[in-house]
Each structure stands twice: as C-alpha cells, then as structure tokens.
Amino acid sequence: MMNLYQYENELYLKGYNNIAGTDEAGRGPLAGPVVAAAVILPKGLIIEGINDSKKLSEKKREELSYIIKEKAVAYSIVFVDEKKIDEINIYEASRLAMIKAISGLKVKADYVLSDAMPINSLDVEVLPIIKGDAKSASIAAASILAKVARDHYMEKLDSKYPEYGFKKHKGYPTKAHIEAIKKYGVLDCHRKTYGPVREQLVIQLELDL
C-alpha cells in the first residue's frame, strides 16, 4: 500500500506548510447536492485508519470525520445544489464546490492536492491526482468530510420524503429509487438533467397533456 503521506511529505520538504486536500461526494446520485470539502492537516499528524471514504464503513467514516474536524488546521465543506448541477453540469458543479471549499478555508492553503480535478482559477498551485483519495491523506480526509456531510443531508431528506428511501440509497440510481420516482414522481431535489429523472418528467408531462 502506498504511503498516504508521500505527497504531503514531499511538499513539506519543498517548503510548503499548509497543504490542502480537496474532494467531492455525490457526482452519481439522481438527487441532492454535490458536496466538496477541503482540509489542511497538521504537519506530522498521522490519523490511523484514514482512507478513501468509499473503502470505509459508515461508522468508521463518522469516527474519522469527528477526528479530522478536531485535528485539522482548517477545513471547509460546501454544498452545490441540484439546480446548479442542472444548470452547469455535474463536472463543473463539482469543480465549483471544490473551488469554494478551498477558498473557504480559514487558513490559506499554499498548495492544493485535488482528487483528479484540474483547477486553474485559484492563486495557488493545484496538483490533480488520479484516485487521489486513495493516495493522499489530505484528499482522503476531504473525501470523508464530504461523504459524511452529504449522507447527513440525504438522511434529512429521507425524513421529509420517507417513501423515496433516501436514507438507504443516498440518492443514487438504485432500482428502488428509480421505482420510487416512477411511483411517486419527481421531487424538487431531483436532478432534472439526469436520464432516469428526465425520462420520468417526460412521462409526467405527457400524462398532464
């Protein structure tokens, strides 16, 4: 397994101190926001168990999220809603969320590691790393904060619309979710440009005619 602190350690040796990792959660779902986080971890801090959020259990993510928030030099979490996603597309919405998260850090980053996302609009150097959430501790920390924040949001949506099962699938296009959309209709929180949602909107429109 690759040393998750390798990128950070190499940058420390070059004189950088406040290295931010950034990542997003929620590109694939049919509903809800995309959420990005940016995290600056203290130099020399090793957080046991930190990894790509997708490889961790929900319980472990919750535990690590608490530790990361406690220990981080700075962190920022940003939501970009489904209306913006439909307006500018999910890729650009993910980039926007990351830019806002980095800009929202209370301590200015002097270098940024991103999970595969090229970002040229910041006045700080950004290194996009493919599968960065499995290769950099800072990006992994950001992936955990983003995932936990988004999951909590989807659980609140679940209590508002229990018949859609958001708590279980978190808005992803599972069979149960698509069946719920067909049975109960499209909600405001659904991404109207996504295939299964768009198809249902067309059907609803035809029924209304």
Side-chain angles (χ1 to χ4, degrees), residues 32-101:
V34 64
V35 181
V39 180
I40 300 173
L41 295 174
K43 193 173 176 178
L45 175 74
I46 306 286
I47 298 177
E48 287 299 324
I50 206 165
N51 203 340
D52 168 8
S53 64
K54 295 183 287 295
K55 294 176 181 170
L56 301 167
S57 67
E58 185 178 348
K59 184 171 183 281
K60 191 65 181 170
R61 281 196 301 267
E62 292 282 351
E63 286 171 11
L64 286 168
S65 174
Y66 178 79
I67 294 166
I68 291 160
K69 288 177 177 178
E70 284 278 296
K71 306 277 188 184
V73 172
Y75 71 89
S76 169
I77 302 169
V78 169
F79 290 65
V80 171
D81 69 20
E82 57 287 333
K83 289 178 183 63
K84 195 70 179 175
I85 294 167
D86 285 335
E87 182 191 327
I88 63 175
N89 79 48
I90 187 59
Y91 184 80
E92 291 304 329
S94 299
R95 192 204 308 269
L96 176 65
M98 286 187 188
I99 290 167
K100 286 187 167 186

Side-chain angles (χ1 to χ4, degrees), residues 85-126:
I85 294 167
D86 285 335
E87 182 191 327
I88 63 175
N89 79 48
I90 187 59
Y91 184 80
E92 291 304 329
S94 299
R95 192 204 308 269
L96 176 65
M98 286 187 188
I99 290 167
K100 286 187 167 186
I102 295 157
S103 303
L105 289 165
K106 289 194 165 65
V107 175
K108 186 170 166 41
D110 55 14
Y111 201 98
V112 175
L113 301 171
S114 82
D115 186 34
M117 178 65 76
I119 304 169
N120 305 318
S121 56
L122 294 165
D123 60 347
V124 59
E125 193 170 344
V126 180

